[in-house]
Amino acid sequence: MKALFKKIAWFFSFLVRYTDELTLAFIAVFLYIAAGSTQTGWLYFIVSLIISVLLLGAVLPQLNIKGIKVWRELPSFCYEGETITLTLRVQNESGRRKNLISLREDSLDPLFFSSSGEAFPVLTLEKDEAPSVSTSLTCLRRGIVKLEGIRIRTSFPFGFFPAERHVNSSRWISILPVGPRIEMLSGVMTAINSAGWHISLSYAGTSHEFLGIREYEPGDSTRTIHWPSTAKLGRLMVKEFYRERLTTLIVVIDAVELSSLGEGKESALEYEIKVAAGIVECAGRQRIPLMLAASEGDEVHVLKNSRSLQALEFLAGIENRGRKSSSALLDEVFSRSAMRGHILLLQTEPAFDYEVIKKVLRTGSKIQVVFFQGFTFHRGSFPEGDYRKAREELSGLGVPVMSVNKGDNLEERLSQWSAGHAEAL
């Protein structure tokens, strides 16, 4: 029965779409019958003309759309809120001139871009000609987006039976998150120091332990030039090493399904990502070694020794599909890595495996927690009392806590935090 309804719906949609063509065909049949009844030659001529027009209207668009190559040009990354230019370039690879071509970008998700697709007319396209059409797009939210289909359409020459072809021209674009500006991360370390711990900030130095690759800056030794990256990128890149005494900043992001509390850009996870993006940007400016960790499903993803763009791209791809709690994630990260440092747990759920917290603290690493309080993002989620109890437990272990609510001014909150005033609300 369902299949029958689908066929009926298709039949009526066909009638609506091709009303003009069906009308012409009906007139042609009527005139043919009339001509046979009256033996009038001019009616046969009109019938032949109508049938020829219909046949040409069906065949010529299919021929007109062949031999056309289309591809898109756009930056490989941009930032939330940034406006970029999307260019569609079309080339006629056949020996015939093309007319009245229309291009349409079909894969613009309105969740990520300000436009869901726009048609671009190309009136004539000579042999080997490659004109381009452009439009401006605003990148609305973070994510790693794949653009695929471009539609070519034409109804030349009569406007009957339009022909379409989808071209698969895949291209990825990373929309990077933008976080609040943090002036100095040294204040974060000072906040942790308020618990009586010894703090030593670390920057890139000249030991033999490899840190990563960055762009050449005046004063860098030519002995540290990384020639493979230089040849690949077309600009001078140098190797960077740890200092002998190193404190790594480790940011663990809670990406379990519960972090999706709230809607769209006002969800708890998006607040976590924004805070992490602000930390990444500041760590890049201060050259503080940074490590990011998050889970997707049962997999644990860890990014070490990253530069700002790599780290922001890592954050752009995080979705609330993790199945490991922050404690389990922290335990696995430290089980397979010898790296120790200052840990920032960004999470929504006010629950921990406190044995894991104790085990990590015994390694000499320091922990600070930033709670994104669920009851402010969604009614009926974790109540305020759960966070209060978790803060008391963490305080007993000497772990400072800062709380973030929906609607908070993140720049203001993080300015207080980076100034060394961790707030256990």
Side-chain angles (χ1 to χ4, degrees):
M1 184 64 70
K2 189 175 181 180
L4 177 62
F5 283 133
K6 283 187 177 180
K7 289 180 180 178
I8 294 174
W10 176 86
F11 176 72
F12 280 107
S13 65
F14 178 83
L15 290 180
V16 171
R17 184 174 181 182
Y18 294 107
T19 301
D20 295 339
E21 292 84 346
L22 292 171
T23 302
L24 277 178
F26 177 78
I27 292 172
V29 172
F30 173 78
L31 290 176
Y32 179 78
I33 294 172
S37 301
T38 60
Q39 298 296 317
T40 305
W42 63 269
L43 288 177
Y44 282 106
F45 172 76
I46 293 176
V47 170
S48 300
L49 181 62
I50 292 175
I51 292 174
S52 298
V53 168
L54 287 174
L55 287 174
L56 289 174
V59 173
L60 289 181
Q62 298 294 335
L63 297 176
N64 193 45
I65 211 169
K66 291 184 179 295
I68 296 177
K69 178 182 178 183
V70 183
W71 67 97
R72 63 170 66 81
E73 298 173 352
L74 75 165
S76 58
F77 70 90
C78 64
Y79 292 88
E80 279 183 303
E82 184 179 356
T83 299
I84 61 172
T85 299
L86 169 66
T87 299
L88 298 182
R89 194 171 291 277
V90 54
Q91 184 173 10
N92 182 5
E93 295 184 325
S94 71
R96 299 172 59 249
R97 186 173 76 170
K98 308 294 183 179
N99 299 281
L100 300 178
I101 302 296
S102 174
L103 305 178
R104 187 181 185 92
E105 173 62 80
D106 267 356
S107 54
L108 294 178
D109 190 335
L111 182 66
F112 296 99
F113 301 103
S114 58
S115 172
S116 58
E118 184 177 348
F120 305 98
V122 179
L123 297 181
T124 60
L125 192 60
E126 301 292 345
K127 179 183 177 182
D128 296 328
E129 188 180 7
S132 63
V133 289
S134 300
T135 187
S136 295
L137 300 175
T138 300
C139 300
L140 302 178
R141 59 168 296 172
R142 67 168 185 95
I144 299 178
V145 186
K146 185 179 183 181
L147 302 182
E148 293 183 293
I150 300 175
R151 189 193 312 173
I152 310 174
R153 177 186 171 95
T154 183
S155 56
F156 177 82
F158 305 121
F160 304 142
F161 305 108
E164 288 187 355
R165 181 162 64 92
H166 288 264
V167 178
N168 186 14
S169 177
S170 298
R171 182 71 184 271
W172 291 91
I173 178 171
S174 299
I175 305 176
L176 307 180
V178 177
R181 182 174 176 81
I182 303 174
E183 293 298 332
M184 294 289 288
L185 279 176
S186 55
V188 176
M189 307 303 186
T190 305
I192 298 176
N193 193 33
S194 65
W197 296 330
H198 173 70
I199 301 302
S200 99
L201 283 177
S202 302
Y203 300 90
T206 56
S207 75
H208 297 291
E209 191 173 357
F210 183 65
L211 171 62
I213 296 170
R214 62 170 173 82
E215 194 165 349
Y216 174 87
E217 295 176 356
D220 288 332
S221 171
T222 55
R223 290 180 298 177
T224 63
I225 293 176
H226 189 259
W227 293 110
S229 296
T230 298
K232 181 179 179 180
L233 299 175
R235 58 184 186 273
L236 281 177
M237 306 296 291
V238 297
K239 293 177 284 187
E240 196 167 35
F241 301 90
Y242 288 120
R243 279 190 178 174
E244 294 300 334
R245 295 188 63 189
L246 174 66
T247 300
T248 301
L249 185 58
I250 304 168
V251 181
V252 179
I253 300 154
D254 167 35
V256 296
E257 292 182 9
L258 293 171
S259 65
S260 62
L261 296 173
E263 296 182 0
K265 297 178 74 171
E266 291 298 306
S267 71
L269 178 60
E270 294 306 311
Y271 272 62
E272 290 180 31
I273 297 298
K274 285 187 180 298
V275 169
I279 292 170
V280 163
E281 190 275 333
C282 186
R285 280 189 284 110
Q286 293 187 256
R287 295 193 187 177
I288 295 175
L290 181 68
M291 174 176 169
L292 297 174
S295 66
E296 182 171 356
D298 293 323
E299 296 294 321
V300 174
H301 297 283
V302 176
L303 184 66
K304 297 181 182 178
N305 310 334
S306 60
R307 283 295 165 197
S308 292
L309 283 179
Q310 292 174 299
L312 289 175
E313 189 166 21
F314 179 90
L315 295 176
I318 292 177
E319 297 182 35
N320 57 310
R321 294 202 293 254
R323 296 199 185 98
K324 291 183 179 288
S325 67
S326 62
S327 298
L329 179 59
L330 186 61
D331 191 28
E332 185 164 340
V333 168
F334 272 74
S335 295
R336 70 186 195 185
S337 171
M339 188 175 291
R340 300 293 179 262
H342 295 296
I343 304 149
L344 299 178
L345 294 179
L346 309 181
Q347 73 174 74
T348 303
E349 186 178 5
F352 295 92
D353 184 336
Y354 291 102
E355 292 304 315
V356 171
I357 299 293
K358 292 175 185 177
K359 183 172 75 172
V360 173
L361 290 174
R362 283 196 294 269
T363 67
S365 294
K366 313 305 176 187
I367 300 176
Q368 185 173 10
V369 174
V370 181
F371 274 141
F372 297 81
Q373 303 194 108
F375 64 90
T376 68
F377 290 90
H378 186 270
R379 289 183 179 179
S381 64
F382 308 109
E384 187 174 5
D386 289 357
Y387 292 96
R388 189 181 304 114
K389 183 178 178 181
R391 282 196 294 270
E392 290 172 358
E393 293 277 359
L394 292 168
S395 178
L397 297 174
V399 176
V401 178
M402 185 181 82
S403 298
V404 174
N405 300 324
K406 179 181 178 180
D408 279 354
N409 184 321
L410 291 180
E411 187 162 350
E412 183 179 318
R413 296 286 286 130
L414 290 172
S415 294
Q416 297 171 357
W417 180 49
S418 64
H421 304 293
E423 196 171 344
L425 298 178

mmCIF file of all heavy atoms in Angstrom, residues 136-172:
data_model
loop_
_atom_site.group_PDB
_atom_site.id
_atom_site.type_symbol
_atom_site.label_atom_id
_atom_site.label_comp_id
_atom_site.label_asym_id
_atom_site.label_seq_id
_atom_site.Cartn_x
_atom_site.Cartn_y
_atom_site.Cartn_z
ATOM 1 N N SER A 136 29.291 35.019 -0.985
ATOM 2 C CA SER A 136 29.837 35.143 0.367
ATOM 3 C C SER A 136 29.023 34.292 1.337
ATOM 4 O O SER A 136 27.789 34.287 1.282
ATOM 5 C CB SER A 136 29.818 36.611 0.824
ATOM 6 O OG SER A 136 30.677 37.381 0.022
ATOM 7 N N LEU A 137 29.732 33.575 2.206
ATOM 8 C CA LEU A 137 29.096 32.734 3.209
ATOM 9 C C LEU A 137 29.600 33.127 4.588
ATOM 10 O O LEU A 137 30.797 33.387 4.757
ATOM 11 C CB LEU A 137 29.421 31.256 2.975
ATOM 12 C CG LEU A 137 29.003 30.623 1.652
ATOM 13 C CD1 LEU A 137 29.543 29.196 1.586
ATOM 14 C CD2 LEU A 137 27.496 30.619 1.519
ATOM 15 N N THR A 138 28.719 33.131 5.554
ATOM 16 C CA THR A 138 29.115 33.329 6.943
ATOM 17 C C THR A 138 29.122 31.967 7.629
ATOM 18 O O THR A 138 28.135 31.228 7.565
ATOM 19 C CB THR A 138 28.156 34.283 7.671
ATOM 20 O OG1 THR A 138 28.156 35.544 7.003
ATOM 21 C CG2 THR A 138 28.595 34.491 9.118
ATOM 22 N N CYS A 139 30.241 31.622 8.266
ATOM 23 C CA CYS A 139 30.368 30.350 8.971
ATOM 24 C C CYS A 139 29.739 30.509 10.352
ATOM 25 O O CYS A 139 30.246 31.264 11.185
ATOM 26 C CB CYS A 139 31.834 29.952 9.083
ATOM 27 S SG CYS A 139 32.629 29.768 7.473
ATOM 28 N N LEU A 140 28.648 29.809 10.598
ATOM 29 C CA LEU A 140 27.816 30.060 11.769
ATOM 30 C C LEU A 140 28.307 29.366 13.025
ATOM 31 O O LEU A 140 28.182 29.906 14.119
ATOM 32 C CB LEU A 140 26.373 29.623 11.481
ATOM 33 C CG LEU A 140 25.708 30.313 10.274
ATOM 34 C CD1 LEU A 140 24.310 29.769 10.070
ATOM 35 C CD2 LEU A 140 25.668 31.825 10.481
ATOM 36 N N ARG A 141 28.823 28.139 12.912
ATOM 37 C CA ARG A 141 29.238 27.408 14.100
ATOM 38 C C ARG A 141 30.382 26.469 13.760
ATOM 39 O O ARG A 141 30.617 26.155 12.601
ATOM 40 C CB ARG A 141 28.080 26.625 14.691
ATOM 41 C CG ARG A 141 27.449 25.605 13.778
ATOM 42 C CD ARG A 141 26.514 24.680 14.534
ATOM 43 N NE ARG A 141 27.227 23.878 15.522
ATOM 44 C CZ ARG A 141 26.628 23.099 16.416
ATOM 45 N NH1 ARG A 141 25.315 23.030 16.444
ATOM 46 N NH2 ARG A 141 27.337 22.386 17.259
ATOM 47 N N ARG A 142 31.086 26.045 14.810
ATOM 48 C CA ARG A 142 32.264 25.203 14.606
ATOM 49 C C ARG A 142 31.874 23.846 14.030
ATOM 50 O O ARG A 142 30.739 23.371 14.178
ATOM 51 C CB ARG A 142 32.979 24.980 15.937
ATOM 52 C CG ARG A 142 32.149 24.138 16.889
ATOM 53 C CD ARG A 142 32.894 23.640 18.077
ATOM 54 N NE ARG A 142 32.036 22.746 18.874
ATOM 55 C CZ ARG A 142 32.028 21.434 18.772
ATOM 56 N NH1 ARG A 142 32.831 20.832 17.925
ATOM 57 N NH2 ARG A 142 31.216 20.701 19.510
ATOM 58 N N GLY A 143 32.829 23.192 13.409
ATOM 59 C CA GLY A 143 32.602 21.856 12.866
ATOM 60 C C GLY A 143 33.545 21.595 11.717
ATOM 61 O O GLY A 143 34.172 22.507 11.171
ATOM 62 N N ILE A 144 33.679 20.321 11.364
ATOM 63 C CA ILE A 144 34.443 19.932 10.184
ATOM 64 C C ILE A 144 33.429 19.466 9.161
ATOM 65 O O ILE A 144 32.759 18.442 9.344
ATOM 66 C CB ILE A 144 35.468 18.837 10.523
ATOM 67 C CG1 ILE A 144 36.461 19.371 11.560
ATOM 68 C CG2 ILE A 144 36.200 18.381 9.268
ATOM 69 C CD1 ILE A 144 37.491 18.374 12.010
ATOM 70 N N VAL A 145 33.272 20.220 8.099
ATOM 71 C CA VAL A 145 32.160 20.058 7.166
ATOM 72 C C VAL A 145 32.689 19.590 5.817
ATOM 73 O O VAL A 145 33.691 20.101 5.310
ATOM 74 C CB VAL A 145 31.395 21.389 6.991
ATOM 75 C CG1 VAL A 145 30.150 21.176 6.146
ATOM 76 C CG2 VAL A 145 31.027 21.982 8.350
ATOM 77 N N LYS A 146 31.988 18.624 5.254
ATOM 78 C CA LYS A 146 32.319 18.131 3.920
ATOM 79 C C LYS A 146 31.322 18.676 2.912
ATOM 80 O O LYS A 146 30.118 18.461 3.040
ATOM 81 C CB LYS A 146 32.318 16.596 3.890
ATOM 82 C CG LYS A 146 32.787 16.019 2.556
ATOM 83 C CD LYS A 146 32.776 14.498 2.598
ATOM 84 C CE LYS A 146 33.311 13.905 1.300
ATOM 85 N NZ LYS A 146 33.279 12.414 1.320
ATOM 86 N N LEU A 147 31.824 19.390 1.904
ATOM 87 C CA LEU A 147 30.987 19.871 0.808
ATOM 88 C C LEU A 147 31.130 18.887 -0.344
ATOM 89 O O LEU A 147 32.242 18.545 -0.738
ATOM 90 C CB LEU A 147 31.420 21.271 0.375
ATOM 91 C CG LEU A 147 31.384 22.358 1.463
ATOM 92 C CD1 LEU A 147 31.788 23.696 0.875
ATOM 93 C CD2 LEU A 147 30.014 22.456 2.087
ATOM 94 N N GLU A 148 30.007 18.446 -0.883
ATOM 95 C CA GLU A 148 30.073 17.404 -1.914
ATOM 96 C C GLU A 148 29.436 17.835 -3.229
ATOM 97 O O GLU A 148 30.117 18.153 -4.173
ATOM 98 C CB GLU A 148 29.405 16.122 -1.391
ATOM 99 C CG GLU A 148 30.162 15.479 -0.248
ATOM 100 C CD GLU A 148 29.529 14.189 0.207
ATOM 101 O OE1 GLU A 148 28.416 14.247 0.756
ATOM 102 O OE2 GLU A 148 30.157 13.133 0.013
ATOM 103 N N GLY A 149 28.109 17.829 -3.287
ATOM 104 C CA GLY A 149 27.437 17.944 -4.573
ATOM 105 C C GLY A 149 27.345 19.348 -5.127
ATOM 106 O O GLY A 149 27.046 20.301 -4.416
ATOM 107 N N ILE A 150 27.621 19.466 -6.417
ATOM 108 C CA ILE A 150 27.337 20.690 -7.179
ATOM 109 C C ILE A 150 26.380 20.284 -8.296
ATOM 110 O O ILE A 150 26.626 19.310 -9.014
ATOM 111 C CB ILE A 150 28.616 21.310 -7.771
ATOM 112 C CG1 ILE A 150 29.600 21.670 -6.654
ATOM 113 C CG2 ILE A 150 28.282 22.540 -8.602
ATOM 114 C CD1 ILE A 150 30.932 22.164 -7.166
ATOM 115 N N ARG A 151 25.290 21.014 -8.444
ATOM 116 C CA ARG A 151 24.293 20.667 -9.448
ATOM 117 C C ARG A 151 24.436 21.566 -10.674
ATOM 118 O O ARG A 151 24.510 22.789 -10.564
ATOM 119 C CB ARG A 151 22.892 20.823 -8.869
ATOM 120 C CG ARG A 151 21.786 20.277 -9.779
ATOM 121 C CD ARG A 151 20.412 20.729 -9.335
ATOM 122 N NE ARG A 151 20.202 20.541 -7.912
ATOM 123 C CZ ARG A 151 19.136 20.995 -7.288
ATOM 124 N NH1 ARG A 151 18.212 21.693 -7.945
ATOM 125 N NH2 ARG A 151 18.990 20.789 -6.007
ATOM 126 N N ILE A 152 24.478 20.934 -11.855
ATOM 127 C CA ILE A 152 24.474 21.670 -13.125
ATOM 128 C C ILE A 152 23.093 21.483 -13.742
ATOM 129 O O ILE A 152 22.601 20.356 -13.842
ATOM 130 C CB ILE A 152 25.551 21.134 -14.091
ATOM 131 C CG1 ILE A 152 26.906 21.045 -13.410
ATOM 132 C CG2 ILE A 152 25.642 22.011 -15.328
ATOM 133 C CD1 ILE A 152 27.964 20.388 -14.253
ATOM 134 N N ARG A 153 22.494 22.567 -14.170
ATOM 135 C CA ARG A 153 21.139 22.496 -14.712
ATOM 136 C C ARG A 153 21.039 23.353 -15.966
ATOM 137 O O ARG A 153 21.655 24.421 -16.057
ATOM 138 C CB ARG A 153 20.141 22.992 -13.659
ATOM 139 C CG ARG A 153 18.687 23.030 -14.113
ATOM 140 C CD ARG A 153 17.828 23.667 -13.031
ATOM 141 N NE ARG A 153 16.480 23.907 -13.491
ATOM 142 C CZ ARG A 153 15.448 23.076 -13.303
ATOM 143 N NH1 ARG A 153 15.638 21.953 -12.663
ATOM 144 N NH2 ARG A 153 14.237 23.375 -13.750
ATOM 145 N N THR A 154 20.264 22.886 -16.935
ATOM 146 C CA THR A 154 20.001 23.674 -18.136
ATOM 147 C C THR A 154 18.653 23.255 -18.725
ATOM 148 O O THR A 154 18.237 22.099 -18.569
ATOM 149 C CB THR A 154 21.106 23.494 -19.193
ATOM 150 O OG1 THR A 154 20.827 24.343 -20.313
ATOM 151 C CG2 THR A 154 21.201 22.049 -19.661
ATOM 152 N N SER A 155 17.983 24.197 -19.340
ATOM 153 C CA SER A 155 16.745 23.885 -20.061
ATOM 154 C C SER A 155 16.819 24.415 -21.494
ATOM 155 O O SER A 155 15.795 24.560 -22.157
ATOM 156 C CB SER A 155 15.541 24.484 -19.340
ATOM 157 O OG SER A 155 15.710 25.881 -19.179
ATOM 158 N N PHE A 156 18.033 24.724 -21.945
ATOM 159 C CA PHE A 156 18.245 25.232 -23.308
ATOM 160 C C PHE A 156 17.861 24.151 -24.331
ATOM 161 O O PHE A 156 18.193 22.979 -24.132
ATOM 162 C CB PHE A 156 19.719 25.625 -23.460
ATOM 163 C CG PHE A 156 20.094 26.107 -24.824
ATOM 164 C CD1 PHE A 156 19.856 27.421 -25.181
ATOM 165 C CD2 PHE A 156 20.669 25.243 -25.744
ATOM 166 C CE1 PHE A 156 20.207 27.861 -26.443
ATOM 167 C CE2 PHE A 156 21.014 25.683 -26.997
ATOM 168 C CZ PHE A 156 20.784 26.993 -27.357
ATOM 169 N N PRO A 157 17.165 24.466 -25.441
ATOM 170 C CA PRO A 157 16.895 25.819 -25.939
ATOM 171 C C PRO A 157 15.465 26.328 -25.684
ATOM 172 O O PRO A 157 15.204 27.515 -25.785
ATOM 173 C CB PRO A 157 17.114 25.656 -27.441
ATOM 174 C CG PRO A 157 16.640 24.258 -27.711
ATOM 175 C CD PRO A 157 16.982 23.452 -26.492
ATOM 176 N N PHE A 158 14.495 25.439 -25.411
ATOM 177 C CA PHE A 158 13.088 25.859 -25.392
ATOM 178 C C PHE A 158 12.507 25.970 -23.990
ATOM 179 O O PHE A 158 11.377 26.431 -23.827
ATOM 180 C CB PHE A 158 12.237 24.873 -26.209
ATOM 181 C CG PHE A 158 12.711 24.689 -27.618
ATOM 182 C CD1 PHE A 158 13.070 23.438 -28.083
ATOM 183 C CD2 PHE A 158 12.802 25.770 -28.476
ATOM 184 C CE1 PHE A 158 13.515 23.263 -29.375
ATOM 185 C CE2 PHE A 158 13.248 25.607 -29.771
ATOM 186 C CZ PHE A 158 13.610 24.344 -30.230
ATOM 187 N N GLY A 159 13.230 25.534 -22.983
ATOM 188 C CA GLY A 159 12.712 25.571 -21.632
ATOM 189 C C GLY A 159 11.912 24.344 -21.253
ATOM 190 O O GLY A 159 11.336 24.292 -20.168
ATOM 191 N N PHE A 160 11.839 23.353 -22.177
ATOM 192 C CA PHE A 160 11.142 22.107 -21.869
ATOM 193 C C PHE A 160 12.124 21.099 -21.300
ATOM 194 O O PHE A 160 13.310 21.108 -21.618
ATOM 195 C CB PHE A 160 10.504 21.506 -23.136
ATOM 196 C CG PHE A 160 9.566 22.446 -23.840
ATOM 197 C CD1 PHE A 160 9.522 22.491 -25.213
ATOM 198 C CD2 PHE A 160 8.735 23.295 -23.128
ATOM 199 C CE1 PHE A 160 8.656 23.358 -25.872
ATOM 200 C CE2 PHE A 160 7.863 24.147 -23.763
ATOM 201 C CZ PHE A 160 7.823 24.187 -25.143
ATOM 202 N N PHE A 161 11.636 20.167 -20.476
ATOM 203 C CA PHE A 161 12.404 19.031 -19.971
ATOM 204 C C PHE A 161 13.805 19.440 -19.508
ATOM 205 O O PHE A 161 14.815 19.081 -20.125
ATOM 206 C CB PHE A 161 12.540 17.943 -21.039
ATOM 207 C CG PHE A 161 11.235 17.483 -21.590
ATOM 208 C CD1 PHE A 161 10.847 17.829 -22.885
ATOM 209 C CD2 PHE A 161 10.375 16.728 -20.820
ATOM 210 C CE1 PHE A 161 9.638 17.419 -23.394
ATOM 211 C CE2 PHE A 161 9.152 16.309 -21.336
ATOM 212 C CZ PHE A 161 8.781 16.653 -22.624
ATOM 213 N N PRO A 162 13.915 20.238 -18.449
ATOM 214 C CA PRO A 162 15.247 20.651 -17.972
ATOM 215 C C PRO A 162 16.095 19.446 -17.589
ATOM 216 O O PRO A 162 15.603 18.468 -17.029
ATOM 217 C CB PRO A 162 14.930 21.517 -16.746
ATOM 218 C CG PRO A 162 13.546 21.116 -16.332
ATOM 219 C CD PRO A 162 12.841 20.724 -17.572
ATOM 220 N N ALA A 163 17.378 19.535 -17.903
ATOM 221 C CA ALA A 163 18.326 18.456 -17.594
ATOM 222 C C ALA A 163 19.194 18.871 -16.419
ATOM 223 O O ALA A 163 19.599 20.037 -16.301
ATOM 224 C CB ALA A 163 19.186 18.151 -18.811
ATOM 225 N N GLU A 164 19.475 17.914 -15.539
ATOM 226 C CA GLU A 164 20.314 18.169 -14.369
ATOM 227 C C GLU A 164 21.387 17.100 -14.268
ATOM 228 O O GLU A 164 21.181 15.946 -14.656
ATOM 229 C CB GLU A 164 19.495 18.169 -13.080
ATOM 230 C CG GLU A 164 18.604 19.358 -12.913
ATOM 231 C CD GLU A 164 17.947 19.372 -11.539
ATOM 232 O OE1 GLU A 164 18.145 18.394 -10.780
ATOM 233 O OE2 GLU A 164 17.253 20.339 -11.245
ATOM 234 N N ARG A 165 22.524 17.500 -13.709
ATOM 235 C CA ARG A 165 23.595 16.537 -13.432
ATOM 236 C C ARG A 165 24.277 16.949 -12.142
ATOM 237 O O ARG A 165 24.573 18.127 -11.929
ATOM 238 C CB ARG A 165 24.613 16.518 -14.582
ATOM 239 C CG ARG A 165 25.740 15.518 -14.379
ATOM 240 C CD ARG A 165 26.437 15.227 -15.704
ATOM 241 N NE ARG A 165 27.083 16.401 -16.248
ATOM 242 C CZ ARG A 165 28.362 16.731 -16.020
ATOM 243 N NH1 ARG A 165 29.113 15.956 -15.247
ATOM 244 N NH2 ARG A 165 28.887 17.811 -16.564
ATOM 245 N N HIS A 166 24.511 15.985 -11.258
ATOM 246 C CA HIS A 166 25.204 16.251 -10.003
ATOM 247 C C HIS A 166 26.674 15.872 -10.153
ATOM 248 O O HIS A 166 26.997 14.763 -10.569
ATOM 249 C CB HIS A 166 24.574 15.463 -8.849
ATOM 250 C CG HIS A 166 23.239 15.992 -8.440
ATOM 251 N ND1 HIS A 166 23.074 16.859 -7.394
ATOM 252 C CD2 HIS A 166 22.013 15.804 -8.973
ATOM 253 C CE1 HIS A 166 21.792 17.168 -7.277
ATOM 254 N NE2 HIS A 166 21.129 16.545 -8.219
ATOM 255 N N VAL A 167 27.536 16.809 -9.817
ATOM 256 C CA VAL A 167 28.974 16.579 -9.889
ATOM 257 C C VAL A 167 29.497 16.395 -8.472
ATOM 258 O O VAL A 167 29.266 17.239 -7.596
ATOM 259 C CB VAL A 167 29.693 17.762 -10.572
ATOM 260 C CG1 VAL A 167 31.200 17.529 -10.604
ATOM 261 C CG2 VAL A 167 29.153 17.956 -11.972
ATOM 262 N N ASN A 168 30.189 15.314 -8.233
ATOM 263 C CA ASN A 168 30.763 15.059 -6.911
ATOM 264 C C ASN A 168 32.131 15.711 -6.832
ATOM 265 O O ASN A 168 33.119 15.186 -7.350
ATOM 266 C CB ASN A 168 30.863 13.555 -6.652
ATOM 267 C CG ASN A 168 31.308 13.248 -5.230
ATOM 268 O OD1 ASN A 168 31.297 14.129 -4.379
ATOM 269 N ND2 ASN A 168 31.689 12.024 -4.976
ATOM 270 N N SER A 169 32.179 16.857 -6.191
ATOM 271 C CA SER A 169 33.432 17.599 -6.037
ATOM 272 C C SER A 169 33.674 17.811 -4.546
ATOM 273 O O SER A 169 33.366 18.856 -3.982
ATOM 274 C CB SER A 169 33.345 18.944 -6.770
ATOM 275 O OG SER A 169 34.512 19.710 -6.590
ATOM 276 N N SER A 170 34.219 16.781 -3.897
ATOM 277 C CA SER A 170 34.345 16.801 -2.434
ATOM 278 C C SER A 170 35.403 17.786 -1.971
ATOM 279 O O SER A 170 36.483 17.889 -2.558
ATOM 280 C CB SER A 170 34.689 15.405 -1.914
ATOM 281 O OG SER A 170 33.655 14.503 -2.220
ATOM 282 N N ARG A 171 35.088 18.488 -0.892
ATOM 283 C CA ARG A 171 36.021 19.429 -0.289
ATOM 284 C C ARG A 171 35.671 19.584 1.187
ATOM 285 O O ARG A 171 34.504 19.740 1.533
ATOM 286 C CB ARG A 171 35.936 20.779 -1.015
ATOM 287 C CG ARG A 171 36.891 21.845 -0.539
ATOM 288 C CD ARG A 171 38.325 21.537 -0.931
ATOM 289 N NE ARG A 171 39.229 22.519 -0.384
ATOM 290 C CZ ARG A 171 39.570 23.662 -0.999
ATOM 291 N NH1 ARG A 171 39.072 23.942 -2.182
ATOM 292 N NH2 ARG A 171 40.413 24.494 -0.433
ATOM 293 N N TRP A 172 36.680 19.514 2.058
ATOM 294 C CA TRP A 172 36.482 19.678 3.502
ATOM 295 C C TRP A 172 36.831 21.098 3.910
ATOM 296 O O TRP A 172 37.767 21.700 3.380
ATOM 297 C CB TRP A 172 37.366 18.705 4.274
ATOM 298 C CG TRP A 172 36.975 17.264 4.137
ATOM 299 C CD1 TRP A 172 37.430 16.382 3.197
ATOM 300 C CD2 TRP A 172 36.050 16.542 4.951
ATOM 301 N NE1 TRP A 172 36.847 15.149 3.376
ATOM 302 C CE2 TRP A 172 35.995 15.213 4.449
ATOM 303 C CE3 TRP A 172 35.260 16.874 6.043
ATOM 304 C CZ2 TRP A 172 35.196 14.237 5.014
ATOM 305 C CZ3 TRP A 172 34.468 15.894 6.608
ATOM 306 C CH2 TRP A 172 34.436 14.593 6.099
#
